[in-house]
Amino acid sequence: MTERDTALPSIDPALREQLVDDICALLPQVLKREVTGATAATTLMEALGMSSTSGLELILELEDRLDVEISVEELGRHDFGTVGSLADYVAQNLIPEA
């Protein structure tokens, strides 16, 4: 385990829920097909067939939608496990406005 795995900051549940909703809303646009019934537990790569390219596109679309910057320095495949794991990553890696 890395320090990142053992020392995760707590995530605001309201922020996480909003991120899950935003990710689910952007999935049809990014995947260019209808996506219904996605939840925090929906697997991005297995259930939805998301590629690494579409994953990065999703991050960029989230930045535009939320008008924020998201650090992608530690973004890995495991962060794209589920909608919820991606929401967790985003919540922990929002770059504060200067």
Side-chain angles (χ1 to χ4, degrees):
M1 277 195 181
T2 66
E3 184 175 321
R4 179 176 176 244
D5 295 329
T6 58
L8 295 176
S10 66
I11 298 171
D12 176 11
L15 173 60
R16 184 181 192 272
E17 184 177 339
Q18 182 61 53
L19 289 168
V20 166
D21 291 345
D22 288 332
I23 291 167
C24 290
L26 288 169
L27 287 171
Q29 176 183 335
V30 171
L31 297 174
K32 297 173 181 38
R33 63 180 170 81
E34 186 175 338
V35 176
T36 57
T39 68
T42 302
T43 56
L44 294 169
M45 294 186 180
E46 291 81 8
L48 300 178
M50 181 174 282
S51 68
S52 57
T53 303
S54 56
L56 290 176
E57 183 180 344
L58 179 57
I59 293 292
L60 293 173
E61 291 295 334
L62 268 174
E63 287 181 328
D64 286 345
R65 181 183 188 113
L66 302 173
D67 196 27
V68 297
E69 189 174 346
I70 301 164
S71 172
V72 293
E73 288 181 26
E74 295 185 24
L75 183 62
R77 183 177 176 89
H78 60 277
D79 296 308
F80 288 98
T82 64
V83 171
S85 65
L86 183 57
D88 291 343
Y89 177 86
V90 171
Q92 295 169 17
N93 290 278
L94 292 174
I95 297 175
E97 292 183 24

